[in-house]
Amino acid sequence: FPVTIKTCTEVRVIPNSTHSGSLTVNVRKNTSTVASGTFPSTSEGVGTTITVNTVYLTSDTFSLEFSGTTTVSFTILISYTV
């Protein structure tokens, strides 16, 4: 089978209601953090984008790690190219 290579271009995090805490998101490839972003207090629907531009293979593990103090749910959009 051919190995599929993709490039994660960005991760967009959008709060589903007013966010009034602190939130840090780390974008991880395998065990390494390849990009991160800190999200300040913001209104519902006002998102923040983390630029990633990292190539990964289908055998890599791609994950998001969250830390901070918030009780708001978020919508996560991950953009990539093949």
Side-chain angles (χ1 to χ4, degrees):
F1 292 95
V3 176
T4 302
I5 299 174
K6 298 179 182 181
T7 301
C8 178
T9 56
E10 67 182 25
V11 174
R12 184 156 177 82
V13 179
I14 305 164
N16 295 324
S17 60
T18 298
H19 163 60
S20 61
S22 63
L23 178 67
T24 299
V25 179
N26 293 316
V27 181
R28 298 177 63 83
K29 175 182 150 183
N30 299 324
T31 59
S32 300
T33 299
V34 294
S36 64
T38 300
F39 300 88
S41 297
T42 188
S43 300
E44 175 182 354
V46 178
T48 301
T49 300
I50 302 170
T51 301
V52 182
N53 290 329
T54 298
V55 175
Y56 64 100
L57 308 174
T58 53
S59 58
D60 291 327
T61 301
F62 182 76
S63 61
L64 302 175
E65 176 183 78
F66 298 88
S67 63
T69 55
T70 185
T71 57
V72 174
S73 65
F74 288 83
T75 299
I76 310 295
L77 304 169
I78 301 173
S79 299
Y80 66 92
T81 59
V82 177

